[in-house]
Amino acid sequence: MALDDRTAEFAADLVLKGFRDVPDFPEPGVVFKDLTPLLADPSAFGALTRVLADLALAAGADAVAGIEARGFMLAAPAAERAGVGFWPVRKAGKLPPPVLRRDYDLEYGSASLELAASAVRPGAKVLVVDDVLATGGTARAACELLEEAGAEVVGLVVLLELAFLGGRAGLGGRPVVALRTQD
């Protein structure tokens, strides 16, 4: 699962132009990566959705999983374009039971994710999509939930990887595609 050089450069440019930094949000010392400008540009958002759909198809995915909340905005249209299912990985307490749950640490606290296990077909191949890979806790928790439900995670795609936080190292060797990396 990889992008050709031309597409990779195009996608990295979309991400560079589409994010803005918000210092000290949600708490002092954290720089929030806001993708609202990218979502507000229909041309850029459409192009990005095509890139994500192509990656899902190249990975042989049967579904695309999006991590709440910003991963939803990316994964759902990519899944539709690729002609595969969309599986939401939600914050705790948002899905009716039965659910699978995973607690994890963030760079500024802790949280939990849940997955409706009934949505997952055992043996199905899933591509996980999110906006930012920071410390890797959210991505790892999502992958573990999907695997616990019986899916095969064929990769993780993020728009922006904050490599200086080392999140990739905690993903257990799962394939990762970052459209742009910030060292």
Side-chain angles (χ1 to χ4, degrees):
M1 176 181 64
L3 296 172
D4 62 70
D5 290 343
R6 184 174 172 206
T7 304
E9 185 177 328
F10 173 72
D13 189 52
L14 285 173
V15 172
L16 177 65
K17 292 176 182 175
F19 272 81
R20 72 179 182 105
D21 288 347
V22 181
D24 298 320
F25 183 82
E27 65 180 48
V30 175
V31 178
F32 183 80
K33 301 297 186 178
D34 180 22
L35 78 143
T36 304
L38 189 146
L39 297 172
D41 180 340
S43 177
F45 185 48
L48 185 65
T49 300
R50 281 190 294 282
V51 169
L52 296 173
D54 289 347
L55 284 167
L57 292 170
D62 301 306
V64 178
I67 303 171
E68 188 171 351
R70 297 183 295 170
F72 285 7
M73 298 176 221
L74 304 166
E80 189 278 330
R81 275 188 189 254
V84 300
F86 167 67
W87 298 343
V89 179
R90 303 287 317 259
K91 293 177 183 176
K94 303 291 184 182
L95 294 170
V99 296
L100 300 174
R101 180 183 173 118
R102 182 79 68 215
D103 300 324
Y104 63 98
D105 292 324
L106 297 159
E107 58 271 27
Y108 49 84
S110 61
S112 300
L113 290 176
E114 293 180 343
L115 174 69
S118 61
V120 176
R121 292 184 326 273
K125 296 178 179 182
V126 60
L127 180 70
V128 180
V129 174
D130 206 5
D131 61 332
V132 176
L133 176 60
T135 61
T138 306
R140 184 178 56 255
C143 290
E144 289 172 353
L145 276 174
L146 290 157
E147 291 164 349
E148 183 180 341
E152 176 189 346
V153 175
V154 293
L156 169 71
V157 177
V158 295
L159 303 189
L160 179 64
E161 179 181 4
L162 304 177
F164 59 92
L165 292 174
R168 188 182 289 241
L171 295 175
R174 293 176 184 93
V176 178
V177 172
L179 300 186
R180 184 158 194 93
T181 302
Q182 184 178 341
D183 294 318

